[in-house]
Amino acid sequence: MDAAEFRKRGKEMVDYIADYLEKIDKRQVFPDVEPGYLRPLIPDCAPQDPESFEDVFKDIEKIIMPGVTHWHSPYFFAYFPAASSFPALLADMLCGGIGCVGFSWAASPACTELETVVLDWLGKMINLPEEFLAGKDGRGGGVIQGSASEATLMSLLAARTKTIRRVQSEKPELTEAEVLGRLVAYASDQAHSSVERAALIGGVKIKNVSSDEEFTVCGSALKKVLEEDKAAGLIPFFFCATLGTTPCCSFDRLLELGPICNKENVWMHIDAAYAGSAFICPEFRHLLNGVEFADSFNFNPHKWLLVNFDCSAMWVKKRSDLTGAFKLDPLYLQHHHQESGLVTDYRHWQIPLGRRFRSLKLWFVLRMYGVTGLQEHIRKHIRLSHQFEHLVLQDERFEICAEVILGLVCFRLKGSNELNKALLKSINEAKKIHLVPCHLREKFVLRFAICSRTVESTHVKFAWQHISQLATDLLKTWEQNQQQQ
Amino acid sequence: MDAAEFRKRGKEMVDYIADYLEKIDKRQVFPDVEPGYLRPLIPDCAPQDPESFEDVFKDIEKIIMPGVTHWHSPYFFAYFPAASSFPALLADMLCGGIGCVGFSWAASPACTELETVVLDWLGKMINLPEEFLAGKDGRGGGVIQGSASEATLMSLLAARTKTIRRVQSEKPELTEAEVLGRLVAYASDQAHSSVERAALIGGVKIKNVSSDEEFTVCGSALKKVLEEDKAAGLIPFFFCATLGTTPCCSFDRLLELGPICNKENVWMHIDAAYAGSAFICPEFRHLLNGVEFADSFNFNPHKWLLVNFDCSAMWVKKRSDLTGAFKLDPLYLQHHHQESGLVTDYRHWQIPLGRRFRSLKLWFVLRMYGVTGLQEHIRKHIRLSHQFEHLVLQDERFEICAEVILGLVCFRLKGSNELNKALLKSINEAKKIHLVPCHLREKFVLRFAICSRTVESTHVKFAWQHISQLATDLLKTWEQNQQQQ
């Protein structure tokens, strides 16, 4: 394919994508296919000779679309939102066209510098303390990671190296392996599985800190486990606080936890993967109070800020903590400017070496929506979650299981877990809407997350009427079964 | 921006990208900007109110392009190639449009299933042993990672878990920390820095294995260090063999190394990040002989197979080794089919949780180029590297520093490292072409990598004449300076 054909096909693809997104509500949100559906539909091997674009293009509807879960359907209420917007799509096209691999400043200066500056923009939008910003000569700064998992892992690794150095300087008789064997990381029992994973990768112990009846970790809970572990000869080194937990969007108490971490030389990382976007609205910024005690902070514009995946924004107070975790500089990656102190080589801030020009997406979205446009988006989602909450509360067969703070509603039928599992099954088998569950303590709970950019009040109302009807049908048979038993 | 405006702007962006790539040879390959150039060009903060697409669009040429290193210029001969092709760009547009986050089968079945099948296609193209393929009920299979660094890390972590379990079952008195403290990973002294980094992340020791005069690791070198370390009570567990090293594209001797690793219970991972694409040509497939001894294998279609970054293909013989490294299953990620044995949840195969629909790029490229089209691309690059090699060899001021096997030529002026550093400096300051250096033993060497999809014989000839002229100029002043001293 040459440039002339790309002009033609690219425009057809633009129209296909616009059609797809404009009419996505007409598609069934969750596919009908069974595992293994795709293999029989395509050949066993790549073709020897080139196929035409038409051949490939017609297979999109024939082979791909029947197996797609439509994350941008207004009937998709599962997981958390995956962001998507037209400005982000345009920027990602440009990112592909430029096609640079920006692992160092020299590998494409614009790729590095736009990222640093736009993360300062974003940091200011959520009123992050100055220490987290790069500015012209700051010690902190931001970076775009691929996912919150990577941000958590990078912060844990930075904390690990820092702590090993500190402990070895105090107790030179300890080997690195001995220190490593005593390190303990902590997170809420409500924290995302990626925190446990980061600890497994880093070869350190991790312990749950018990959350309270509101599913949040308070200072006393952390203090208790730190005291116990220190008494047992262990070395607490890392605490991951969560703002907006995945099960129910609860918030750990930063203002209590931060001072404890600072006093105990424990690195505090804040994972606000979903909730972070809401902090651009002044009325939700209080949820971030206490960030001033943190060493690192992360949230995902690719969840809720209309920037397509992947764009996970992370800030640190001391960039040298990240780069010091494992700075390696082979000659083929060195360049003239790198020791000038003026440049950032983002390869030292992340797990992979290569990186796409992802800041373009963020830049396009921040400019073409403006702060006010993004605030409107967040506020609409939160308004809709409260709408759903009110509908649930009006039906006394149901209960709300956690305070609705942002765009997630945790709810269930009053009754057994089996009953609620059956309700979820009937919802997802009907495939008119799509939800996923969670456990809150011993309870099986349904999560209703406002997801799509285009979801409106009518979709939420429809979803509730549908759920309510399925519940009625279910309860009828359920009661019959109970009587028969 | 609504769908109607996206149709208009998307088409403008398609034309912009086509123009950029068609006329990229008119742009200076390496930018003139100095560190910090970008910040003064844009505002301090994100705008409150939306800006128009036109405002943003005109800043691409004004702010971004002056700071771009043009990786797809036919005058770019630095690092290794970054792949780019029109079919891949089209597929990536579709990937963004669908915008699913395919961490599990249920999160978008097509996203998972296409990846599995297309990696079988690619595996067959390089004639990987059957064990590495997923097929209908294989124990192995392929996955798309973001980068070779992540593939190396994942294989090292899988090997670590496997070894800790084995050692603990043999010696139950050892704690996990004690075993971890004795584990040693190995790689060539020519291996990529990401291997050392993987070991640092995983908290295990890593040792260099000495390469020979051809910069390759042979069996005896590995055997020697394994014996020494075992005698010292250490536990060798992981060897990363490199096919196509970054400094000079040398190849470790798999046929000698593989049996040793198998005998010693050492996981052999093969990093063929750049070279792997060449194995689709039968005349280069012999370089992969011995892969049958490996546990995992990786190469980057995003380097040399015309699939835009990121698309790093990795295969394992036993998928359970990867998923067993740290399988975690919170309820909100579980789904109906996951215990059926039929489905793949790729989140267990990788570091991040989220993942884009990257197999679309690979599928589009394999189909629209066909195997023959891709072979032509590889063969053209290798032909051009030999053309450059011959030009160098005809000039007796220069020497070739390593055998030219694929698309990389390592060369230098006969003389001091300082002289060659001065030559590279004059080349990169002239900015007509762009190269990076490497060290081969004590020698400072220039790397000439054939990179661009559109590079032709005329560009290579131009590059050589330019280098040759700069060398003449340099040697003149250099000799004058020597005489004056």
Side-chain angles (χ1 to χ4, degrees):
Chain A
M1 183 179 290
D2 60 11
E5 196 187 352
F6 172 72
R7 288 177 200 272
K8 181 166 184 288
R9 303 313 186 180
K11 290 163 192 174
E12 290 170 16
M13 190 60 87
V14 166
D15 277 327
Y16 180 81
I17 292 166
D19 287 343
Y20 171 69
L21 291 171
E22 267 188 324
K23 297 173 199 156
I24 198 165
D25 58 329
K26 307 285 183 287
R27 294 180 190 255
Q28 182 175 290
V29 59
F30 193 79
D32 282 325
V33 298
E34 290 294 312
Y37 90 96
L38 187 137
R39 193 178 283 272
L41 300 179
I42 72 174
D44 273 348
C45 300
Q48 277 303 113
D49 298 316
E51 294 182 62
S52 70
F53 178 78
E54 284 94 336
D55 284 341
V56 178
F57 189 73
K58 72 172 194 284
D59 282 345
I60 299 171
E61 280 299 327
K62 204 173 116 196
I63 294 169
I64 302 302
M65 284 301 170
V68 170
T69 304
H70 300 291
W71 281 63
H72 305 293
S73 161
Y75 299 110
F76 182 92
F77 302 103
Y79 314 107
F80 272 134
S84 177
S85 71
F86 294 118
L89 292 177
L90 291 170
D92 234 3
M93 288 166 64
L94 180 61
C95 166
I98 293 176
C100 65
V101 184
F103 43 70
S104 69
W105 183 85
S108 220
C111 179
T112 294
E113 297 205 8
L114 186 68
E115 186 161 328
T116 307
V117 175
V118 172
L119 281 175
D120 273 1
W121 282 17
L122 189 60
K124 288 175 189 170
M125 282 168 65
I126 57 171
N127 201 12
L128 270 191
E130 183 94 18
E131 290 167 277
F132 285 104
L133 306 182
K136 275 179 200 150
D137 48 12
R139 297 167 68 200
V143 59
I144 298 177
Q145 303 281 359
S147 63
S149 309
E150 289 163 79
T152 304
L153 177 57
M154 279 304 302
S155 59
L156 179 134
L157 294 172
R160 190 185 70 174
T161 301
K162 200 175 178 177
T163 307
I164 290 174
R165 285 184 190 148
R166 180 176 54 75
V167 173
Q168 283 192 314
S169 78
E170 290 163 10
K171 300 179 185 169
E173 70 279 11
L174 291 178
T175 66
E176 191 170 320
E178 284 166 339
V179 181
L180 196 64
R182 293 199 207 169
L183 295 181
V184 195
Y186 304 87
S188 166
D189 54 23
Q190 301 298 308
H192 192 266
S193 54
S194 56
V195 187
E196 184 177 351
R197 216 153 178 265
L200 288 170
I201 292 170
V204 295
K205 292 178 191 58
I206 177 148
K207 297 196 178 183
N208 279 341
V209 186
S210 300
S211 60
D212 61 18
E213 66 288 350
E214 287 171 332
F215 309 104
T216 78
V217 171
C218 58
S220 58
L222 179 64
K223 203 163 182 172
K224 183 164 169 286
V225 63
L226 292 184
E227 295 304 335
E228 287 168 7
D229 286 348
K230 284 197 298 177
L234 297 173
I235 306 169
F237 81 106
F238 179 80
F239 173 64
C240 178
T242 310
L243 297 182
T245 58
T246 308
C248 72
C249 200
S250 57
F251 291 75
D252 291 343
R253 291 179 216 278
L254 295 188
L255 288 167
E256 296 175 25
L257 296 160
I260 297 171
C261 290
N262 289 181
K263 177 165 169 279
E264 301 287 346
N265 262 325
V266 166
W267 179 296
M268 183 162 83
H269 174 68
I270 299 174
D271 171 14
Y274 163 69
S277 298
F279 306 151
I280 66 167
C281 301
E283 67 273 30
F284 298 111
R285 173 55 178 77
H286 69 93
L287 294 165
L288 185 59
N289 288 349
V291 66
E292 56 275 18
F293 298 108
D295 297 280
S296 52
F297 169 73
N298 166 247
F299 84 93
N300 290 349
H302 70 228
K303 278 203 165 64
W304 203 11
L305 212 62
L306 297 175
V307 183
N308 281 56
F309 187 85
D310 51 342
C311 179
S312 179
M314 178 191 192
W315 291 265
V316 284
K317 270 189 192 156
K318 285 193 202 166
R319 56 172 77 192
S320 58
D321 286 339
L322 274 194
T323 60
F326 39 66
K327 191 170 175 178
L328 298 169
D329 257 332
L331 187 61
Y332 49 81
L333 294 178
Q334 287 173 22
H335 55 87
H336 174 55
H337 283 295
Q338 72 177 11
E339 295 309 327
S340 71
L342 277 169
V343 305
T344 297
D345 284 343
Y346 274 126
R347 71 177 182 279
H348 301 305
W349 297 50
Q350 61 175 23
I351 302 296
L353 173 62
R355 54 205 330 271
R356 302 168 75 234
F357 201 158
R358 293 179 291 205
S359 56
L360 288 171
K361 289 189 286 203
L362 191 52
W363 192 48
F364 272 45
V365 167
L366 295 184
R367 293 182 67 182
M368 287 193 234
Y369 277 91
V371 175
T372 51
L374 294 168
Q375 287 170 336
E376 270 170 39
H377 170 69
I378 297 288
R379 286 171 181 147
K380 180 180 88 168
H381 272 201
I382 297 174
R383 212 163 47 235
L384 293 177
S385 72
H386 286 299
Q387 180 193 351
F388 187 81
E389 179 192 19
H390 292 141
L391 290 165
V392 174
L393 286 171
Q394 282 162 29
D395 187 330
E396 60 183 20
R397 299 172 300 173
F398 285 88
E399 59 185 346
I400 293 289
C401 307
E403 189 188 357
V404 178
I405 300 173
L406 300 178
L408 176 69
V409 183
C410 286
F411 71 108
R412 69 198 299 276
L413 278 167
K414 293 170 186 164
S416 68
N417 284 349
E418 286 58 45
L419 178 67
N420 280 285
K421 281 179 193 170
L423 176 61
L424 182 69
K425 191 159 180 273
S426 74
I427 293 169
N428 282 339
E429 283 181 358
K431 298 185 183 179
K432 291 189 184 298
I433 61 175
H434 188 51
L435 309 185
V436 296
C438 70
H439 273 306
L440 289 177
R441 306 281 181 250
E442 71 292 353
K443 283 186 181 170
F444 183 92
V445 169
L446 281 66
R447 292 171 80 264
F448 188 89
I450 305 294
C451 287
S452 164
R453 180 175 58 80
T454 59
V455 61
E456 297 293 344
S457 179
T458 50
H459 302 108
V460 171
K461 251 184 258 167
F462 169 84
W464 171 248
Q465 282 160 2
H466 178 59
I467 293 169
S468 168
Q469 183 60 52
L470 290 174
T472 303
D473 299 346
L474 174 68
L475 287 168
K476 213 175 287 173
T477 44
W478 201 263
E479 280 156 19
Q480 284 167 358
N481 287 346
Q482 299 290 61
Q483 283 163 3
Q484 283 166 8
Q485 277 168 10
Chain B
M1 182 179 291
D2 60 11
E5 195 186 353
F6 173 70
R7 288 177 201 272
K8 182 165 184 289
R9 303 313 185 180
K11 289 163 193 176
E12 290 170 14
M13 189 59 87
V14 165
D15 278 326
Y16 180 81
I17 292 167
D19 287 343
Y20 171 69
L21 291 170
E22 268 189 323
K23 297 174 199 155
I24 198 166
D25 58 330
K26 307 284 183 285
R27 294 180 189 255
Q28 181 175 290
V29 59
F30 193 80
D32 282 326
V33 298
E34 291 293 312
Y37 89 95
L38 187 138
R39 193 177 285 271
L41 301 179
I42 72 176
D44 274 347
C45 299
Q48 277 302 114
D49 297 316
E51 295 183 61
S52 70
F53 177 79
E54 284 95 337
D55 285 341
V56 178
F57 190 72
K58 69 172 196 283
D59 282 345
I60 299 172
E61 280 300 326
K62 204 172 117 196
I63 293 169
I64 302 303
M65 283 300 169
V68 170
T69 305
H70 301 290
W71 282 63
H72 304 294
S73 161
Y75 299 110
F76 183 90
F77 301 103
Y79 314 107
F80 273 135
S84 177
S85 71
F86 293 120
L89 292 177
L90 292 170
D92 234 4
M93 287 165 65
L94 180 61
C95 167
I98 294 176
C100 64
V101 185
F103 44 70
S104 69
W105 182 86
S108 219
C111 179
T112 294
E113 297 206 8
L114 186 68
E115 186 161 329
T116 307
V117 175
V118 172
L119 281 174
D120 273 1
W121 282 16
L122 189 60
K124 288 174 189 171
M125 283 169 65
I126 57 171
N127 201 13
L128 268 191
E130 183 95 18
E131 290 167 278
F132 284 105
L133 306 182
K136 277 179 198 150
D137 49 11
R139 298 167 67 201
V143 59
I144 298 177
Q145 303 281 359
S147 64
S149 308
E150 288 163 80
T152 304
L153 176 57
M154 279 303 301
S155 57
L156 180 135
L157 295 172
R160 190 185 71 174
T161 301
K162 200 176 177 175
T163 308
I164 290 173
R165 284 185 191 149
R166 181 175 54 76
V167 173
Q168 283 192 314
S169 78
E170 290 163 9
K171 299 179 185 170
E173 70 278 13
L174 291 178
T175 66
E176 191 170 319
E178 283 165 340
V179 180
L180 197 65
R182 293 199 206 170
L183 295 182
V184 194
Y186 304 87
S188 167
D189 54 23
Q190 301 297 309
H192 193 265
S193 55
S194 55
V195 187
E196 184 178 349
R197 214 154 181 265
L200 288 170
I201 293 169
V204 295
K205 293 179 190 58
I206 179 149
K207 297 197 177 181
N208 279 341
V209 186
S210 301
S211 60
D212 61 17
E213 66 287 352
E214 288 172 330
F215 308 104
T216 77
V217 170
C218 58
S220 58
L222 178 64
K223 203 162 181 173
K224 185 165 168 285
V225 63
L226 292 185
E227 296 303 335
E228 287 168 8
D229 285 349
K230 284 196 300 178
L234 298 173
I235 305 169
F237 82 107
F238 179 79
F239 172 64
C240 177
T242 310
L243 298 182
T245 57
T246 308
C248 71
C249 201
S250 56
F251 291 77
D252 291 343
R253 292 179 216 279
L254 294 189
L255 288 167
E256 296 174 26
L257 297 159
I260 297 170
C261 290
N262 288 181
K263 180 166 166 281
E264 301 287 349
N265 262 326
V266 167
W267 179 296
M268 183 162 84
H269 174 67
I270 300 174
D271 171 14
Y274 163 68
S277 298
F279 306 152
I280 65 166
C281 301
E283 68 273 30
F284 298 112
R285 172 57 177 77
H286 68 93
L287 294 165
L288 185 59
N289 287 349
V291 66
E292 56 274 19
F293 299 109
D295 296 281
S296 52
F297 170 73
N298 165 248
F299 85 93
N300 289 349
H302 70 229
K303 279 203 164 65
W304 203 11
L305 212 61
L306 298 174
V307 183
N308 283 55
F309 188 85
D310 51 342
C311 178
S312 179
M314 178 191 194
W315 291 265
V316 284
K317 272 190 192 155
K318 284 194 206 166
R319 58 172 77 193
S320 58
D321 287 340
L322 274 193
T323 58
F326 39 65
K327 193 170 174 177
L328 298 170
D329 258 332
L331 187 62
Y332 49 82
L333 295 177
Q334 287 173 22
H335 54 86
H336 174 54
H337 283 294
Q338 72 177 13
E339 295 309 328
S340 71
L342 277 169
V343 306
T344 298
D345 284 344
Y346 274 126
R347 71 177 183 278
H348 300 305
W349 298 51
Q350 61 175 22
I351 302 297
L353 173 62
R355 54 204 329 271
R356 302 168 73 233
F357 200 158
R358 293 180 289 206
S359 56
L360 288 171
K361 290 189 284 202
L362 191 52
W363 192 49
F364 273 45
V365 167
L366 296 184
R367 292 183 68 182
M368 286 194 235
Y369 277 90
V371 175
T372 51
L374 295 168
Q375 287 171 336
E376 272 170 38
H377 169 69
I378 297 288
R379 286 172 181 145
K380 180 180 90 168
H381 272 202
I382 297 175
R383 214 164 45 235
L384 293 176
S385 72
H386 285 299
Q387 180 193 353
F388 187 81
E389 179 191 19
H390 292 141
L391 290 165
V392 175
L393 285 171
Q394 281 162 30
D395 187 331
E396 59 183 19
R397 300 174 298 173
F398 284 88
E399 60 185 346
I400 294 289
C401 308
E403 187 187 357
V404 178
I405 300 174
L406 300 178
L408 176 68
V409 183
C410 286
F411 72 108
R412 69 198 300 276
L413 278 167
K414 292 169 186 165
S416 69
N417 284 349
E418 286 59 44
L419 179 67
N420 279 288
K421 281 181 192 168
L423 176 62
L424 182 70
K425 190 159 180 272
S426 74
I427 293 169
N428 282 339
E429 283 181 358
K431 297 184 184 177
K432 290 189 184 299
I433 62 175
H434 189 50
L435 309 187
V436 296
C438 70
H439 273 305
L440 290 176
R441 307 282 182 250
E442 72 289 355
K443 283 186 181 171
F444 183 92
V445 169
L446 281 67
R447 293 171 79 264
F448 188 88
I450 305 293
C451 286
S452 163
R453 182 175 57 81
T454 59
V455 61
E456 297 293 343
S457 180
T458 49
H459 302 107
V460 171
K461 253 184 257 168
F462 168 84
W464 171 249
Q465 283 160 3
H466 177 58
I467 292 169
S468 170
Q469 183 60 51
L470 291 173
T472 301
D473 299 348
L474 173 68
L475 286 167
K476 213 176 284 172
T477 44
W478 201 263
E479 280 156 19
Q480 284 168 359
N481 286 348
Q482 298 291 59
Q483 282 163 7
Q484 283 166 9
Q485 277 169 11

